Amino acid sequence: MRSVGCVIREGPIACVIYAAKSTEDRRGSIPGQLRECREAVESAGGRIIVGEYSDEAFSAFIGSRGPGLAEAMRHAQELARDGTVELWAQHSDRLARGDGRSARHAVEVALWALKNDVRVRTIQDPETFRDLLYAVVTGQRNHEDSRRKGLASAAGRRRAVERGDYTGAKSDGYMRVVEVDASGAVSKRLDVDPARRPLIEMIFRMALRGKGTAAIARAINEAGWQTKPLIGWQRPKAWDVQSVLDVLNNPRYAGLAAHKGEVIARGNWPAYITEREYYRMTKRRSRPKPTKTPRKRDTFLLARLGKCGICGSSLHCFTDERRSDTTFPRRYRCWSHSRGGNGSPRCPSLPMDADLIEAMFASTIHRFLLEGKEDKTMQAELATFEGAWVDSPERQRVLDAVLSGDKAALDHALEALLARVAPEAMLLKRIAASSWMGRQLDLVHSVESWAADKLASRTDSSRAKTRELNADLRTRFSRVSVAMDGRYVDIVAHRRASNTARNDERRIDARFDRREARRYLPLARRSKPLHRLWDDAEIIASLQDWAAAHGRSPKCTDWSRASWDRPDDLTVRRHFGGWRKAPRRAGLKPDGREYDHAAPRCYKQWSTSAVVRALQDATRAAGRPPRSTEWFRAAPDHPCSTTVRERFGGWTAALQAAGLDVH
Ligand SMILES: [Zn+2]
């Protein structure tokens, strides 16, 4: 769309010219139409062009063209207020070819022109807009023409699809190859686009491994890929669920030719996946998702308090599926974990087991509530009593008793101090009994006793108590940030300012080592440790514990699921380079022989010479070197194409290394 600008006119008639193409303008039709209009305007004489507009890839048959026509009409309408104005186009079907229902009819343009005092001039059918009746007739003919052409080309497309030719837009990952044979006949075919191949392979590789569309979109966006627009004026954009689905649902990638969504033949182009893989994935996606049984939401000590220590957003309290012991695992999860779908980035924070986090929080509640308070509140009031008693042991005993929360000791200490200096002892008694500090100590006790009960069982009364404590904690703390990595849990409590001393919101940090989860038993025993890091010494200790308890070394199948006291077998293999090496390191005899055979196929290692041999064998069998797309997935007799490329730096390099003819 291009506007040459407004001109204030006296003599010449203002002209707005417009050109359009229903599909992508590959052959320069739009500049041609504009040139034709300019020449016609010039030869008509006494006219000046004040605006040029165009639309590309907007149909007048299924819609009413695009923003260019709307702008052109608006511009003409504005100019018409000052004098004569004309809207020029090559043919009336550039302006309208609809039936009046789903798209604009030529007579509508004629009526608009009449109402707004705009003249519409078309070069190839100048009669059309002279008279409303002409507009009706020509408009009808334009519509019929389009319909007939559409039907004819649809039938032609179907025949082409039946022959296995591609039709329509080429898909991402393919490119058009035009060839002229000896007799001069031109043939077009699709071939794999080497620049986009890694992307399409990555999408299918993830999909075949059962990854969801959102995860795929996120991964390819992170790898720096963007979509490839089909039409010139569209811009590349980030991948989302829909664009990934468009690739996965397109049978073309399986080498299948489809017409109007129906697969009717095999295509003459290389496939990215096999037909079986395509139908398997389609079936899996179309399968109805199992409806989730509603879960009873459990109570959380840090509800509406917890914040993600990494990104600062709220922590969701999440009740998980029921465990075999009929309890429900509870998790704190960063908000972005549940809302970060559809390809957008997620905070790297891990879901956290609520039992463990709450036990850690409860174990340190006295610090979170009291740290920094002991000197401030008390010493401010005690400062007025400076005297001989300041260093007295009785005074220290009272302070110690207040901090430790031991009521009996406090009574004794107060008695002793009262005997020594009556006024100060009275004050201390008042502080201990009714002050802010006293209330904090109450809360410390109730959280600690709650934690002890909570570990034993989860009942309705303990849930009520949790809600009560949660409400209380929310008056004391503004937020509690929790961050967890493989080894540590960091809790930062932000304590609200107290009544006696304002403006002293205070943050208290505490760090917990997750290897000490045993300290929070029996709670830790019940919860599955989420994303724990193990070091070799710990694994060896767990192997020895297990062997002592069972009277034999564990088999890898015994450790297929991780538990609070041991990692799963994959972690063990990764640490020691194989399952059987682990018990030996722990001074145990490996049990049986089965697990070396139980190793999954993905552990097969291809030596460079084996890859070369596989390439040569495949060439001998097929009479030509294999294409990388044919080796997209590994098979027993060859590795996958990625392995080959990684080993040799490229597919062609691999073929050369195997001494094969590249062309
Ligand atoms: Zn977060």
Side-chain angles (χ1 to χ4, degrees), residues 308 310-313 334 336 347 349:
C308 171
I310 295 172
C311 71
S313 48
C334 175
S336 77
C347 164
S349 87

Side-chain angles (χ1 to χ4, degrees), residues 268-376:
N268 306 322
W269 55 82
Y272 279 94
I273 50 169
T274 65
E275 284 172 38
R276 243 183 94 205
E277 286 168 336
Y278 172 73
Y279 286 118
R280 202 180 75 210
M281 285 195 301
T282 326
K283 202 170 150 200
R284 190 169 58 203
R285 272 200 305 282
S286 61
R287 218 168 20 215
K289 297 215 169 65
T291 46
K292 286 180 184 159
T293 47
R295 281 184 287 258
K296 198 175 155 199
R297 289 184 15 175
D298 219 322
T299 48
F300 287 76
L301 186 65
L302 300 178
R304 292 197 272 169
L305 260 182
K307 294 274 184 276
C308 171
I310 295 172
C311 71
S313 48
S314 301
L315 287 181
H316 270 194
C317 301
F318 177 74
T319 314
D320 214 333
E321 304 284 347
R322 205 173 80 146
R323 277 192 289 241
S324 53
D325 66 352
T326 74
T327 58
F328 291 88
R330 301 174 308 129
R331 314 251 188 260
Y332 289 108
R333 291 200 316 200
C334 175
W335 183 85
S336 77
H337 191 89
S338 26
R339 295 298 155 93
N342 205 10
S344 64
R346 254 182 207 172
C347 164
S349 87
L350 304 165
M352 296 174 277
D353 189 279
D355 284 337
L356 190 65
I357 300 296
E358 288 172 5
M360 287 170 170
F361 181 80
S363 73
T364 319
I365 181 71
H366 60 278
R367 262 197 62 210
F368 289 139
L369 276 172
L370 301 175
E371 189 177 277
K373 282 293 169 190
E374 51 276 46
D375 12 34
K376 263 194 183 172

Side-chain angles (χ1 to χ4, degrees), residues 480-522:
V480 176
S481 309
V482 189
M484 183 171 95
D485 61 19
R487 178 123 294 166
Y488 296 106
V489 176
D490 286 299
I491 301 182
V492 182
H494 293 253
R495 194 172 61 210
R496 290 183 196 279
S498 63
N499 293 335
T500 49
R502 297 199 183 278
N503 306 324
D504 71 340
E505 175 161 318
R506 192 180 166 104
R507 45 171 291 173
I508 303 106
D509 305 33
R511 163 166 276 211
F512 302 88
D513 192 326
R514 294 179 61 200
R515 286 172 298 185
E516 293 172 12
R518 284 162 192 259
R519 268 178 58 196
Y520 309 104
L521 291 175

Side-chain angles (χ1 to χ4, degrees), residues 93 97 143-155 157:
D93 64 7
R97 54 169 77 169
H143 179 67
E144 282 302 315
D145 272 358
S146 289
R147 203 168 66 87
R148 208 186 57 246
K149 267 190 241 163
L151 289 178
S153 55
R157 272 202 299 277

Side-chain angles (χ1 to χ4, degrees), residues 197 628 644-645 648-658 660-663:
R197 185 177 61 193
S628 69
V644 178
R645 271 197 291 270
F648 295 96
W651 188 259
T652 317
L655 293 183
Q656 280 163 349
L660 298 172
D661 188 10
V662 177
H663 293 292

Side-chain angles (χ1 to χ4, degrees), residues 563-578:
S563 132
W564 67 274
D565 59 348
R566 60 164 195 258
D568 68 356
D569 66 315
L570 274 175
T571 310
V572 178
R573 284 167 205 258
R574 209 173 52 234
H575 272 263
F576 300 103

